[in-house]
Amino acid sequence: MGGGNEIPKTNRILPVPNSTASYWRSKPHRLDEYRSTEHLPSQADITIIGTGIAGVSTAYHLLDIKTHNDTPPPSILLLEARQVCSGATGRNGGHIKKLPSTIVELIEGLGETAAGEVVKFIRENIYGVKRVIEKEKIEAEAELRRSFDVSLDEEDAREVKREYERELESGFPLTEDLQFVGEEFAERVRIDPSAITSLHGAKAGLSTPVLSLWPYKFVTQLLERVLSKGTANLQTNTAVTAIETHDDDGGYTVTTNRGQVKTPIIVFATNGYTAGLLPQYHNIITPTKATASHITVPANKPAPQYFSNTYNIRYSKNRVDYLNPRPDGSIVIGGGKWTYEKERELWYDVYDDSTLIEPARHYFDGLMQRHFRGWEDSGAETESVWTGIQGVTKDGMPHIGKVPGAKGQYILAGYNGGGNALAFLAARAVARMIREGISFEQTGVPKCMETTRARLDAGKA
Ligand SMILES: Cc1cc2nc3c(=O)[nH]c(=O)nc-3n(C[C@H](O)[C@H](O)[C@H](O)COP(=O)(O)OP(=O)(O)OC[C@H]3O[C@@H](n4cnc5c(N)ncnc54)[C@H](O)[C@@H]3O)c2cc1C
C-alpha cells in the first residue's frame, strides 16, 4: 500500500449513530437499511460514498448515460455509513429554489455574469428533478409552486425592492421568474382574489418558482430505479474509515467497518462529512448543524387555511426562517438560527446530529399562531424537531469535479445549505466526466463551482 488520504485520528468526521428523527424519515423505505449482498464485493468499477441526493443521483446518471461505443454499464458500489438518505437530504426543508432576496449577495460575491450562471443552474436543477420524477414515476409529493421571501421589516422590504429593481434594470437573467408585491397586497389573506402571503405585518413579498418535495421519498425511489438496473450494489451501515492507494495499479483500497473494497474510481458524495475522508478539504468544507421541525394541527379542530405557496420569512435581513406547507395541511419549518448563532460551539464545525440545538428546541412552538392569519386558534403543535449536518464552504460555492491531484477521485459536496437545488445536475456532471471523459468546462456547471487547487489553497488562507 502506498500513500492516499491519511485521516488524522483527531480529525475523524463520521456520521454519528442515533441521529435525531426527522419527519421526512418517519416511514422508512424498504431500502432504508438494505444490503444488496451479505458481504461487501471485493471490487467495484466505481465506488460512491454517501446516499443522499448527491450520491444516489450520481449512481442514477452513471447508469442513465449512453456511451457512443455501447460500453457495458459499470459496476457501482454505494457505501452508506448509516441508513439510506439519513444525512442532510433526509432532514432538510424540502425546497428546490434560489432565495430571490439573496441574489444580491451572489452578485456582490461573484459579479453579474457568474451570479447569472448560478441562478440559471439552479433553475435547471428545479426542472431536472421535476423531469426525472415524471420520467421515473416517483411519488415524492413534488409540486411546482411559488415561494415567497416575505419581509416583515420595513427597511428590509425597501432594500429587497431596490435590489429587485436593480436586477430588472440591468437585465439580470431570469428576472421574469420573479414577482414583487408591496405592502398594500402582502398581508392579504388567500380568500381575497389578490391574496398574497397571509403573514401578519408583511411589508413586501418577492416570489420565485420552487419545486417543493419530500426529499427522502425522491432519493429512496430513485435508488430503487438504480438498483433495478442490476449493476449497482448498496451497502448501508457501512462507514468508510480510510482510503489508500495501492502501488501496483494506482487504484484504491477503501476500508470500511465491514471490510475492504478495491476500486479505481471513488465519488465523494459526503457533503458535511467530506473532510473526514479527504483531509485537504478540512476547513474548506466545514460541517455545520442546522435544525427544522414539523408542525401539525389537531384532527378534531377545523382546518386552518391551507397554503399553496412556500415561504421564507425575513424578520430582518439576518433573521430568516423557511416554511414548506405539506399537502396534508401540516408544515415543515426550519431556521431559528439567530437563537443560537452566537454560540458557535453548538453548530459550527459540528457533525453530531444526534442532539438538538438547545436554544432552538422550542423555537418553532406557536410560530404559526404568531405569524399567520387564520392560524391564531388553530391549536397547531410542534410534532417533531430534528437536526442535520450541512457542508459550508469558504467561498459559498460547492466543490464539484475531480479532486485536485488525485487520479480517479471525484467530489460533489459543500452546498451551503442549498444542496437540493444543486446536487442533481452536479451529479450528472460528475457522471459524465467519469463515463464520457469530458472536462469540467464541458459539463455546463458554473465555473465557480469547480473544485480546484486554487480554491483549496485560497480557503486555507
Ligand atoms: C435543517 C436543514 C434544512 C435544509 N433545507 C434545505 C432546503 O430547503 N433546500 C435545499 O436546497 N437544501 C437544504 N438543506 C441542505 C441540503 O439538505 C443539503 O445541501 C443536501 O441534502 C446535501 O446532499 P448530499 O447528498 O450532498 O449530502 P447528505 O444528504 O448529507 O448525504 C451525505 C451522506 O454521506 C454519508 N457519509 C458521510 N461520510 C461517510 C463515510 N465516511 N462513510 C459512509 N458514508 C458516509 C452520510 O451518512 C450521508 O448519508 C438543508 C439542510 C438542513 C440540515
Side-chain angles (χ1 to χ4, degrees):
M1 300 284 175
N5 305 332
E6 285 172 30
I7 305 162
K9 285 222 163 43
T10 51
N11 184 34
R12 282 191 182 235
I13 301 173
L14 271 181
V16 302
N18 307 320
S19 52
T20 48
S22 85
Y23 156 71
W24 305 115
R25 292 187 37 79
S26 55
K27 291 188 195 109
H29 187 273
R30 69 174 181 86
L31 293 177
D32 199 60
E33 301 208 63
Y34 187 75
R35 288 177 181 166
S36 302
T37 50
E38 189 186 344
H39 300 289
L40 286 188
S42 57
Q43 187 278 338
D45 293 337
I46 302 168
T47 298
I48 299 173
I49 309 173
T51 60
I53 187 171
V56 171
S57 299
T58 306
Y60 177 80
H61 291 300
L62 280 167
L63 297 180
D64 194 48
I65 288 168
K66 309 265 177 294
T67 51
H68 294 312
N69 48 8
D70 270 347
T71 36
S75 62
I76 297 173
L77 174 62
L78 285 136
L79 296 174
E80 170 52 57
R82 306 191 294 205
Q83 306 84 6
V84 165
C85 198
S86 59
T89 313
R91 23 191 90 248
N92 64 33
H95 274 135
I96 304 189
K97 69 166 185 177
K98 171 70 198 148
L99 268 67
S101 57
T102 61
I103 289 174
V104 60
E105 287 152 33
L106 259 189
I107 296 173
E108 279 165 10
L110 299 171
E112 287 236 3
T113 308
E117 285 169 14
V118 171
V119 171
K120 283 188 207 156
F121 184 61
I122 291 174
R123 191 184 205 257
E124 285 163 19
N125 270 271
I126 294 178
Y127 292 103
V129 173
K130 181 173 177 289
R131 266 195 299 276
V132 77
I133 284 175
E134 287 156 357
K135 178 177 168 201
E136 299 294 348
K137 303 193 176 9
I138 289 172
E139 288 176 15
E141 294 189 3
E143 250 187 279
L144 192 60
R145 299 159 142 185
R146 290 206 64 88
S147 188
F148 277 85
D149 285 7
V150 181
S151 300
L152 302 189
D153 175 77
E154 249 165 57
E155 178 47 37
D156 183 57
R158 274 197 294 274
E159 205 176 311
V160 167
K161 185 171 186 222
R162 264 196 307 273
E163 296 305 338
Y164 165 68
E165 285 170 351
R166 215 187 75 188
E167 285 155 29
L168 284 183
E169 272 165 34
S170 71
F172 189 77
L174 301 182
T175 44
E176 64 269 27
D177 276 354
L178 306 183
Q179 179 74 58
F180 181 86
V181 290
E183 189 170 7
E184 65 279 23
F185 294 121
E187 196 185 334
R188 291 203 189 166
V189 289
R190 263 193 87 241
I191 46 170
D192 184 308
S194 55
I196 310 288
T197 76
S198 301
L199 266 141
H200 288 303
K203 300 288 181 291
L206 184 59
S207 72
T208 188
V210 63
L211 189 69
S212 146
L213 81 170
W214 190 308
Y216 176 77
K217 289 189 179 177
F218 170 63
V219 168
T220 48
Q221 290 171 48
L222 194 65
L223 182 56
E224 258 181 341
R225 311 303 186 263
V226 167
L227 296 185
S228 72
K229 297 197 176 178
T231 65
N233 182 312
L234 167 67
Q235 296 289 330
T236 57
N237 296 312
T238 305
V240 176
T241 52
I243 293 158
E244 291 168 283
T245 318
H246 40 94
D247 293 332
D248 37 358
D249 58 6
Y252 297 99
T253 300
V254 174
T255 302
T256 76
N257 57 336
R258 297 180 48 238
Q260 293 188 323
V261 185
K262 292 213 155 106
T263 190
I265 296 176
I266 304 175
V267 177
F268 295 87
T270 39
N271 202 33
Y273 306 95
T274 301
L277 295 174
L278 291 173
Q280 61 271 49
Y281 286 84
H282 177 64
N283 208 24
I284 303 293
I285 300 177
T286 304
T288 60
K289 190 167 171 175
T291 187
S293 69
H294 181 227
I295 310 292
T296 54
V297 288
N300 59 357
K301 291 202 91 178
Q305 168 200 358
Y306 172 74
F307 300 113
S308 48
N309 302 316
T310 83
Y311 299 95
N312 273 66
I313 311 178
R314 291 170 66 94
Y315 307 99
S316 65
K317 189 175 177 182
N318 299 316
R319 286 189 180 187
V320 183
D321 290 338
Y322 46 90
L323 271 82
N324 192 346
R326 309 310 312 140
D328 68 358
S330 68
I331 320 256
V332 168
I333 309 183
K337 188 172 175 185
W338 61 272
T339 61
Y340 59 83
E341 191 163 17
K342 287 192 179 135
E343 297 172 74
R344 268 168 80 89
E345 70 284 0
L346 295 182
W347 61 278
Y348 190 78
D349 212 358
V350 170
Y351 60 92
D352 180 352
D353 59 2
S354 70
T355 58
L356 298 181
I357 305 175
E358 277 309 319
R361 176 185 283 269
H362 296 293
Y363 172 74
F364 304 103
D365 301 351
L367 192 147
M368 293 306 296
Q369 286 92 328
R370 283 195 300 279
H371 291 292
F372 284 89
R373 286 192 179 203
W375 281 70
E376 295 84 351
D377 301 317
S378 61
E381 284 182 352
T382 312
E383 178 268 328
S384 56
V385 183
W386 60 88
T387 54
I389 305 304
Q390 308 175 336
V392 168
T393 65
K394 287 275 172 193
D395 57 10
M397 286 295 122
H399 284 260
I400 301 169
K402 278 187 177 168
V403 175
K407 184 167 169 260
Q409 294 192 7
Y410 296 81
I411 181 174
L412 60 161
Y415 304 100
N416 300 285
N420 284 354
L422 300 165
F424 186 69
L425 291 184
R428 182 160 185 272
V430 166
R432 291 190 64 202
M433 289 173 79
I434 295 171
R435 286 219 68 196
E436 298 173 9
I438 62 171
S439 66
F440 181 87
E441 286 69 24
Q442 290 170 298
T443 64
V445 175
K447 182 77 185 148
C448 56
M449 297 183 184
E450 182 178 16
T451 189
T452 60
R453 174 92 56 201
R455 281 182 75 204
L456 295 188
D457 291 346
K460 289 201 185 300

